[in-house]
Amino acid sequence: MSRPASLPAEMPIETLTEGSPELYDGASTAPRESGALLPRIGIDVFTRTGELRESLRRVSADRRAARTAFTFHDGSFAEAAAHYRDALSPDLVIIEQCGWTEDLDWLIEGLAEVCQSTTRVLVIGDRNDVVLYRHLMRSGVSDYLFMPVEPLVVIEAVRAIFQSGDDAAELGTVIAFTGARGGSGASMLAQNTAALLSRDLSATTLLIDADLGFGTAAMQFDISPPCGLGEALTEGDDLDKEVLERLVHWHGKGLGILTAPERAEQIGAPPPQSMREVVDQARRIARYVVLDLPHGWSPWVVEALAAADSVVLVATPDLPSLRNARTLIGLVTALRPNDGPPSLVLNRVAPGDKPPVAPEEFARILNCKIAATIPFEPAAAPAEMAGTILAEMAPKSEAARAMRAFAAAISGRERPNAPPARTGSLLSRLFRRRPA
């Protein structure tokens, strides 16, 4: 590798005009939050500043990095090269490098000489510069981010570096529903949301009834599949996309249902990792995965909540729900520190009546916004008896309309049958990072 006379002149992103192909918006682009785990890899981190070191420690503690081993060092390119003269390099090296000099190529070449050929390099620097980004890519660096970086940006960058083949396909979004108390209607809302995502948004959706032994999805959709979630959980690490697809009952072309075991004694509490495998494979076969979880905090339920992209907490406007909701919001927030809080839905709110706890009081005490308020609907019980969902039995009811609006909101779609909202900065829409 020849030494350049100097680095190309800096071209900050802010000076580029709309439509220019030379756009880079690595750190400023908010990634789509994904609950999928990072691969089982080793990552060495070399940093000089405390701010970046703390941000990367948050990455190492994130639920998505459960299988990833991080090791932290002080320094930059020179210290990394010296370290690997006597040690094997890991799968990925993350290096902080600020104040670029003409020795850039020599620094990269010196590191390459002591690293294994399979080692990837992610550089984090202080310059928002598209020319520098291109120069690093040509030099063999896998990706470049500029500071400050949020943990989710780093996680998505690492995931993109190691994506290949089938893994490069977009993974589905997992939405977990749980109730603040028994009888809150979380299952009803999960089932209606799954059906609405499939029907109104024309998106392949998989409903997983994880209320083991007491699930109602089979009854709600009037089906009797020979197998379901119980069989998927027993597969453990052997579960793959093809096996899971054979266990799913397809209720029409767009809605798949993985039913709970018919009797509680058919399966005990599953190992947490088995639940994780089911969720990880489910997101490979459907655009949306709706996970109906029982009320509780058992290890396998916690694993399912950690695996989801978003969590919906369903409560009724009463004191027991208020108390439990406050506890669960704290637990879920601690479990998912780099994610937003759960979406709180108030269900079965009787119109015209004064509930034990008013919705605005509910929101004030919990210090959170209420994502949706679902009115009480007398047609819900007849819909269950008829083996259908409320959105089909009484599509014009206030409850059905509220659930339809909630399904559109939780999916990221502003309205049914509309194209996805254009998110992120103008630059992020004009430039799409290519996998390394």
Side-chain angles (χ1 to χ4, degrees), residues 3-4 6-7 97-105 107 127:
R3 180 177 179 176
S6 64
L7 283 178
Q97 180 66 31
C98 300
W100 298 101
T101 68
E102 296 181 357
D103 295 328
L104 173 62
D105 283 346
L107 291 170
R127 286 175 54 174

Side-chain angles (χ1 to χ4, degrees), residues 200-201 404-405 408-409 411-420:
D200 290 2
L201 301 184
R404 188 174 296 111
S411 70
R413 304 279 288 269
E414 293 184 356
R415 61 185 185 279
N417 298 322

